[in-house]
């Protein structure tokens, strides 16, 4: 931005005169990752955020292996705890704790984590503008000077111009609406941040609780973060009253009802339909705005970081595209990159959710009593494998998934084949 003494009018006038290479809407993990990827490539990048930073987000704050691997170089995680043990229960019963010598995943508070990601994007050269709510984007019309430009219209009427736009503005995304994102799974998450005495905090240190809940597909969690426990539950939308009761009963069962939460919040997660678009013209979407998350656990941070980085890289290529054909080609490449890295995981996750909805007790028994299942859980959280890789490379996992959903393994293989065919086609074009 301009110097410290510049007025808001001067800043707006300066913005109006330039055409940014990439404008990123939303400064969460997906947006900050996209801004970093585009800025580190040497492009002029503007990162827009409607709130002031840091700001709270409803989120468990678990950082699994794929999230760590997707962070910018030199990023130091602001960990509040390191998880070496998981206690599993089935709606409060059959409780069992399993332990790992190696850390499985870390726990963070989103305000600090998101702020650090934004600072890395800024250090790479991206410019940040907070308090900037986007009303809409336009790719045609009087606000757009040429076919290589996208107009980003802010609330209040100010218009910014860009060669490419990345929508990372959350699950209720305005940019996602422009692209036409479609979802086929919506879940309600409720969460409470509960400060606890040191004696209680010590009992939870290094250990999380996962409780398979009373509604199909639901579960609850306890994540310790210094002197605060993040306690939450999630279930399908439409079960609001039952979900609220589940959280209340869960907190009471844990002996935490006497402690006053510092924050109580709720959030809808939205998972994309298989045929949902990821782009429209020079506009890409990533993270929650694209409906990218793991359908079974509803884990979204790793999907946000990974899809954000890809969106930033392909936004650079779209910004350089000189015609609609090249723009379309780069947008398709982005979609196939997402399918190759995240699509198979989502397909398997959907099948896992369907199986879990029918037989939560079987999942609980497997994780607490079947060593290969526990080993797979550890390897996934540590980033040594993924759901997709597990199904592809382990015959036992493939047979188990096929028993629950006969189409699951075939679908994963089909998506792999599509990616392979696309890659071969790209090689033929560029050779």
């Amino acid at each position: 931005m301009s110097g410290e003494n510049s007025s808001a009018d001067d800043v707006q006038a300066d913005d109006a005169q330039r055409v940014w290479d990439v404008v990123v809407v939303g400064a969460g993990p997906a947006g900050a990752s996209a801004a970093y990827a585009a800025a580190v490539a040497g492009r002029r990048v503007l990162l827009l955020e409607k709130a002031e930073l840091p700001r709270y987000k409803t989120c468990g704050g678990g950082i699994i292996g794929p999230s760590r691997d997707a962070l910018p170089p030199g990023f130091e995680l602001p960990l509040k705890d390191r998880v070496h043990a998981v206690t599993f229960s089935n709606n409060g019963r059959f409780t069992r704790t399993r332990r790992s010598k190696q850390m499985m995943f870390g726990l963070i508070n989103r305000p600090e984590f998101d702020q650090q990601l934004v600072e890395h994007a800024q250090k790479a050269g991206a410019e940040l503008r907070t308090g900037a709510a986007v009303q809409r984007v336009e790719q045609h019309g009087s606000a757009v000077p040429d076919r290589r430009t996208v107009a980003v219209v802010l609330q209040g009427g100010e218009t910014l111009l860009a060669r490419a736009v990345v929508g990372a503005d959350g699950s209720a995304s305005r940019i996602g609406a422009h692209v036409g994102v479609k979802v086929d799974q919506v879940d309600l998450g409720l969460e409470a941040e509960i400060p606890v005495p040191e004696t209680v905090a010590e009992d939870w240190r290094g250990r999380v609780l996962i409780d398979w809940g009373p509604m199909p597909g639901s579960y609850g969690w306890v994540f310790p973060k210094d002197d605060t426990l993040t306690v939450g539950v999630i279930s399908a939308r439409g079960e609001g009253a039952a979900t609220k009761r589940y959280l209340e009963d869960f907190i009471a069962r844990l002996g935490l009802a006497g402690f006053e939460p510092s924050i109580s919040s709720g959030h809808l997660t939205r998972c994309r339909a298989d045929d949902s678009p990821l782009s429209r013209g020079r506009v890409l979407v990533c993270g929650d705005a694209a409906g990218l998350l793991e359908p079974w656990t509803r884990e979204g941070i790793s999907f946000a970081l990974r899809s954000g980085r890809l969106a930033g890289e392909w936004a650079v290529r779209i910004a350089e595209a000189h015609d609609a054909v090249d723009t379309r080609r780069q947008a398709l490449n982005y979609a196939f990159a997402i399918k190759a890295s995240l699509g198979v995981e989502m397909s398997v996750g959907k099948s896992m959710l369907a199986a879990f909805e029918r037989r939560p007790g079987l999942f609980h028994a497997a994780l607490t009593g079947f060593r290969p299942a526990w080993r797979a859980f550890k390897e996934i959280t540590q980033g040594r494998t993924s759901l997709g890789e597990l199904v592809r490379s382990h015959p036992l996992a493939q047979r188990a998934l096929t028993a629950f959903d006969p189409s699951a393994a075939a679908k994963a293989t089909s998506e792999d084949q599509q990616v392979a065919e696309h890659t071969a086609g790209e090689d033929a074009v560029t050779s």
Side-chain angles (χ1 to χ4, degrees):
M1 301 294 286
S2 303
E4 290 183 8
N5 296 324
S6 298
S7 68
D9 290 342
D10 291 337
V11 172
Q12 291 181 6
D14 183 53
D15 284 349
Q17 291 169 4
R18 76 171 74 185
V19 178
W20 299 89
D21 291 319
V22 179
V23 167
V24 180
V25 183
S33 295
Y36 174 87
V40 83
R43 299 305 184 267
R44 295 167 297 178
V45 179
L46 178 62
L47 177 59
L48 301 176
E49 168 58 43
K50 66 180 179 181
E52 297 299 328
L53 299 175
R55 44 86 178 104
Y56 179 81
K57 286 287 185 180
T58 304
C59 178
I63 301 295
I64 59 175
S67 297
R68 294 194 301 269
D69 295 342
L71 293 169
F75 189 96
E76 293 187 11
L77 279 165
L79 292 180
K80 297 301 181 183
D81 207 341
R82 293 168 169 81
V83 176
H84 287 81
V86 181
T87 298
F88 294 100
S89 61
N90 189 1
N91 198 19
R93 300 175 298 160
F94 312 115
T95 301
R96 184 174 181 185
T97 298
R98 307 218 56 169
R99 303 184 184 277
S100 170
K101 292 180 181 179
Q102 294 180 312
M103 184 182 87
M104 287 183 287
F105 55 96
L107 301 174
I108 52 91
N109 285 326
R110 282 288 301 276
E112 299 170 66
F113 179 68
D114 291 10
Q115 179 70 37
Q116 279 188 217
L117 285 171
V118 169
E119 289 171 358
H120 270 71
Q122 289 178 289
K123 288 175 184 176
E127 297 190 25
L128 171 68
R129 184 167 167 186
T130 59
V134 172
Q135 186 178 76
R136 65 185 185 279
V137 293
E138 296 181 5
Q139 300 193 65
H140 307 283
S142 59
V144 183
D146 57 62
R147 293 185 178 182
R148 291 190 59 214
T149 307
V150 181
V152 181
V153 182
L154 305 183
Q155 287 183 2
E158 181 188 355
T159 299
L160 306 172
L161 301 178
R163 298 296 182 206
V165 170
V166 175
D169 48 334
S171 62
S173 170
R174 289 183 180 271
I175 312 303
H178 172 80
V179 167
V181 171
K182 297 182 290 184
V183 299
D184 64 5
Q185 177 185 329
V186 183
D187 296 288
L188 170 64
L190 300 177
E191 196 168 72
E193 303 286 352
I194 306 178
V196 294
E198 174 61 25
T199 52
V200 177
E202 181 61 32
D203 183 53
W204 286 96
R205 202 146 288 146
R207 177 176 66 94
V208 302
L209 169 64
I210 297 176
D211 177 75
W212 313 119
M215 296 89 71
S218 67
Y219 75 96
W221 61 90
V222 179
F223 286 178
K225 301 169 186 176
D226 291 338
D227 62 352
T228 297
L229 300 179
T230 298
V231 183
V233 300
I234 194 163
S235 66
R237 183 179 63 174
E239 298 283 351
T243 306
K244 184 179 179 182
R245 283 195 303 274
Y246 177 28
L247 179 60
E248 292 171 349
D249 293 344
F250 188 41
I251 290 173
R253 185 196 311 152
L254 294 166
L256 301 173
F259 303 114
E260 186 69 24
S262 59
I263 299 174
S264 295
S265 63
H267 178 65
L268 289 176
T269 63
R270 295 177 170 89
C271 187
R272 71 188 294 269
D274 290 339
D275 61 346
S276 179
L278 291 163
S279 67
R280 178 180 174 185
R282 290 177 173 266
V283 179
L284 305 177
V285 285
C286 60
D288 285 345
L292 293 167
L293 74 160
E294 200 282 289
W296 176 34
T297 63
R298 291 80 155 186
E299 190 278 321
I301 294 178
S302 75
F303 282 72
L305 292 169
R306 290 180 285 173
S307 65
R309 184 187 69 241
L310 290 170
E313 292 170 354
W314 257 272
V316 167
R317 296 167 187 173
I318 286 175
E320 296 169 347
H322 288 281
D323 56 41
V325 173
D326 193 21
T327 299
R328 178 61 177 162
R329 179 170 175 266
Q330 299 302 340
L332 285 172
N333 286 341
Y334 169 65
F336 274 99
I338 292 292
K339 285 187 176 182
S341 59
L342 303 177
V344 175
E345 291 180 43
M346 293 186 70
S347 293
V348 176
K350 286 182 180 181
S351 296
M352 294 284 283
L353 175 63
F356 172 64
E357 287 175 338
R358 291 195 294 269
R359 301 288 297 278
L362 184 59
F363 272 74
H364 180 71
L367 284 168
T368 58
F370 186 49
R371 186 169 295 177
W374 168 243
R375 186 183 305 119
F377 180 90
K378 286 195 299 181
E379 291 180 352
I380 289 169
T381 58
Q382 291 167 341
R384 288 189 278 168
T385 189
S386 68
L387 278 174
E389 290 169 357
L390 195 67
V391 171
R392 285 196 297 264
S393 59
H394 291 69
L396 181 61
Q398 194 171 85
R399 287 198 299 270
L401 186 61
T402 302
F404 280 112
D405 185 352
S407 67
K411 188 174 181 182
T413 303
S414 173
E415 291 203 354
D416 283 346
Q417 182 63 33
Q418 289 178 31
V419 171
E421 290 173 355
H422 175 77
T423 303
E426 283 297 297
D427 290 342
V429 168
T430 57
S431 61

